Amino acid sequence: MNSNTSSIPVRRGAAAAAAAALVIGPVAAAAPAHATGGEGRASAVVLRTALDVSLADKTVDVPLKATLNEVQAPESAGKTALSVRLDSVEGSRPVQLLRADVATAKASADRQVAEAHSNLAHAKLHVPGLPLLSLIEVEKVTSTAVCEAGRQPVATSNVLGKVTVLGKKVTLSAGGPTRVEVPQVGEVSLELSRTRTTSRTAAATALELKVSVNPLELNVAEVTGTVTLAEAGCVSPDAPAEETPAAEQPSQEPAKDVQVQSGEEPAEENLAETGGSSATAYLAGGAALLLAAGASATVLTRVRARR
């Protein structure tokens, strides 16, 4: 009997372990699956010019397109050149277009965020025909664009310190362009700190100049076009796909105290649970016969006594 009853806790322990496995299994399988999209893009530039230079006789037009520290990501990281020089514009004399103490452009992009920064400090910009007079001087201008996957892009730009245009100190206004006119020299219109954002893009420009310079009695008749200082832009990476949990298996809790029985030993298992054995049936039959015999003997004794 002991051998039969000792097997019951073992089987119940196995059933409990199976139940634990069913409960823990779906939890482990339900870990979310993350899907990432493509990389974002970012670009920055310290200086960009799109100017047309007409010589004095107006028979020759020279396009003046130049950039300083232009970078794009993920292809390139950053540049820190401090000047840009142009040749073959004023005859044999080179033109120092821009000179700065600080001029940096940085761009980076991956699957999470794309960002760009441009910074220009203590800079002077010249155009052909005005070798001694700066078109513009700035103390510090910066632009930043940040595009993070799944979030609203952000663009900021700042113009810090004083700004001088054609030798005149100017006060810039965010409400519209600032115009500076110098007799016998020309006119410059400045747009201050422009930013633009959409659901996936951001762009910032610290300063944009519209130039129309016509200096007298010089070899250059007219310079027109635009100049951009401290520009940054970005495009957000693809947003990650929504988290999709793995298919969960139904949680099944086994019935309690269920015993697996074979066709060979049903009686033994059931008797073991009640404390009996296989000999119990024979003992019960013998007891019944003894009781019947005893009753018969009692009846015969009483009959003989009466006689």
Side-chain angles (χ1 to χ4, degrees):
M1 180 173 64
N2 292 338
S3 61
N4 293 333
T5 56
S6 63
S7 64
I8 297 172
V10 174
R11 295 181 182 180
R12 288 179 179 173
L22 288 173
V23 173
I24 296 174
V27 174
H34 297 278
T36 56
E39 293 181 342
R41 299 190 302 276
S43 62
V45 65
V46 170
L47 167 71
R48 188 193 307 280
T49 67
L51 300 171
D52 289 322
V53 180
S54 297
L55 299 182
D57 55 10
K58 294 189 179 182
T59 58
V60 178
D61 289 332
V62 179
L64 185 56
K65 299 183 183 297
T67 60
L68 177 64
N69 295 343
E70 184 174 24
V71 295
Q72 295 181 347
E75 287 80 7
S76 56
K79 293 181 180 180
T80 58
L82 299 178
S83 64
V84 55
R85 190 178 73 171
L86 300 174
D87 297 322
S88 304
V89 178
E90 291 185 345
S92 60
R93 294 182 305 174
V95 176
Q96 188 81 23
L97 193 63
L98 179 73
R99 177 70 186 179
D101 291 345
V102 177
T104 60
K106 297 180 181 179
S108 62
D110 54 29
R111 294 181 180 272
Q112 283 75 43
V113 62
E115 54 186 316
H117 308 272
S118 60
N119 183 28
L120 182 64
H122 302 290
K124 294 181 179 181
L125 176 68
H126 290 270
V127 294
L130 296 175
L132 303 178
L133 183 63
S134 299
L135 180 68
I136 186 172
E137 298 181 21
V138 296
E139 282 196 29
K140 186 175 183 179
V141 293
T142 63
S143 289
T144 300
V146 180
C147 298
E148 188 173 355
R151 294 191 176 185
Q152 178 66 33
V154 178
T156 58
S157 63
N158 292 288
V159 178
L160 308 173
K162 66 180 182 179
V163 176
T164 303
V165 177
L166 296 176
K168 290 185 175 183
K169 184 179 178 180
V170 298
T171 300
L172 301 174
S173 172
T178 300
R179 289 182 173 84
V180 179
E181 186 176 359
V182 177
Q184 298 185 346
V185 175
E187 179 181 347
V188 176
S189 176
L190 295 88
E191 287 279 358
L192 170 66
S193 301
R194 296 191 308 163
T195 60
R196 302 179 303 278
T197 59
T198 68
S199 60
R200 291 194 61 194
T201 66
T205 301
L207 279 175
E208 186 174 85
L209 289 68
K210 293 182 179 180
V211 180
S212 179
V213 177
N214 186 16
L216 300 178
E217 298 179 359
L218 295 173
N219 190 38
V220 176
E222 190 174 8
V223 179
T224 59
T226 61
V227 175
T228 301
L229 296 178
E231 185 179 63
C234 62
V235 178
S236 297
D238 293 339
E242 294 183 0
E243 296 179 355
T244 304
E248 295 186 3
Q249 300 177 358
S251 177
Q252 297 178 354
E253 190 171 339
K256 296 181 179 179
D257 299 330
V258 174
Q259 300 297 324
V260 180
Q261 298 181 357
S262 67
E264 299 177 355
E265 50 180 8
E268 182 178 353
E269 287 290 342
N270 293 333
L271 291 172
E273 290 185 6
T274 57
S277 68
S278 59
T280 302
Y282 300 101
L283 292 176
L289 292 174
L290 289 175
L291 287 174
S296 300
T298 302
V299 171
L300 291 174
T301 301
R302 288 179 179 178
V303 170
R304 288 174 182 175
R306 287 176 183 177
R307 289 179 179 177

